[in-house]
Amino acid sequence: MRCRVQSVDTLRQIVHRVPRRFLFFRWGTKAIRQEISSSNPHTRIVWTEYIRLER
């Protein structure tokens, strides 16, 4: 018996910056976060990678 399963899915990826805060002041960058969501509820995202290229 041979079984072949194919699935097409859409991923939404958002990369955003988290600013540093002190009282009401914001300055600099505390962290860069990456959030990924899938339109298929049965999909499990195991690993993601963010690569930043600078000149």
Side-chain angles (χ1 to χ4, degrees), residues 28-40:
T29 301
K30 182 177 181 180
I32 295 177
R33 297 229 173 117
Q34 177 182 18
E35 298 179 23
I36 295 180
S37 64
S38 174
S39 60
N40 184 352

Side-chain angles (χ1 to χ4, degrees), residues 1-30:
M1 184 169 117
R2 289 186 179 184
C3 183
R4 186 173 162 180
V5 178
Q6 290 184 346
S7 175
V8 177
D9 195 7
T10 301
L11 296 175
R12 292 180 186 92
Q13 177 180 1
I14 299 172
V15 178
H16 60 95
R17 150 184 106 78
V18 179
R20 291 185 185 267
R21 290 185 183 181
F22 179 72
L23 296 176
F24 297 106
F25 303 106
R26 294 181 183 179
W27 79 94
T29 301
K30 182 177 181 180

